[in-house]
Amino acid sequence: MRPTREPRIPAFLATGAVLGALVFLLIDRLGPQGGPFTESSTTGYLLVVGLALGAILGAVAAAVASALRR
């Protein structure tokens, strides 16, 4: 019996989430400062959005990788 070589979905999700959080953290640090919100609330919101978008992009990448393996 041959083992299947399917992509590991949790690895794609975790990698996408971490990369998304890092990108949005970098955007937060390099973007304009000030505004109506505190710096910590802005950072928190952007990290949550980065985690979510990164996980979604990781899921899409896993689906594409899985489709290409067939």
Side-chain angles (χ1 to χ4, degrees), residues 40-66:
S40 61
S41 67
T42 304
T43 301
Y45 289 132
L46 285 176
L47 282 177
V48 169
V49 170
L51 284 169
L53 288 178
I56 290 169
L57 289 177
V60 169
V64 168
S66 178

Side-chain angles (χ1 to χ4, degrees), residues 2 24 28 31 42-43 53 58 65 69:
R2 283 179 41 190
F24 274 76
D28 179 49
T42 304
T43 301
L53 288 178
R69 296 287 305 163

Side-chain angles (χ1 to χ4, degrees), residues 8-22 50-51 54-55 57-59:
R8 292 183 174 92
I9 305 294
F12 275 86
L13 291 175
T15 303
V18 168
L19 290 176
L22 289 175
L51 284 169
L57 289 177

